[in-house]
Each structure stands twice: as structure tokens, then as C-alpha cells.
Amino acid sequence: SAIAAGWLDEIVDADKVLGRAEEVATEAAATLHTGAHLESKLKARESALAAIRAGIDGLPTEFAAS
């Protein structure tokens, strides 16, 4: 019922979890659209990257004020 409700994708015996996780990761990597993956990662990190760039761009001013 947990699978049908969407709480779980599948149930695996405890001693087979690692092996199944590796299988799922291998399958996902084989079908991953790397360009789309990169774009979604950059979009998700956009605000953090902007803050880092702003900090780097502000270094000359920060050191001049010291």
C-alpha cells in the first residue's frame, strides 16, 4: 500500500539494498540527459553562485577599506 500511495518506489530485503541501489543508479546514469541535468543543477544553485560571485567581485573594495 505504501508503494501504491507513492511513499515508496520499491521494497528490497535489507541484505540487497546496496546492490539494488547500485543497479538503480547505473540505470539512471545510462539514461541521464547530461545537458538538462547540468542546467537544472545550475538553476538550483543560481542564488548561491550569485552570492559567491558578488563576494569575489567585492574583494577589492573590502581590502581597500581595511
Side-chain angles (χ1 to χ4, degrees):
S1 62
I3 293 172
W7 289 96
L8 298 174
D9 292 325
E10 63 183 272
I11 298 172
V12 180
D13 291 330
D15 61 330
K16 296 180 181 165
V17 170
L18 184 57
R20 181 62 184 138
E22 290 173 344
E23 289 173 6
V24 170
T26 299
E27 292 167 8
T31 61
L32 181 69
H33 186 287
T34 54
H37 181 69
L38 174 62
E39 289 299 319
S40 65
K41 289 287 188 180
L42 291 174
K43 185 175 182 180
R45 297 174 179 161
E46 186 173 12
S47 63
L49 292 172
I52 292 167
R53 286 186 192 103
I56 291 170
D57 292 344
L59 284 175
T61 304
E62 184 178 332
F63 282 108
S66 298

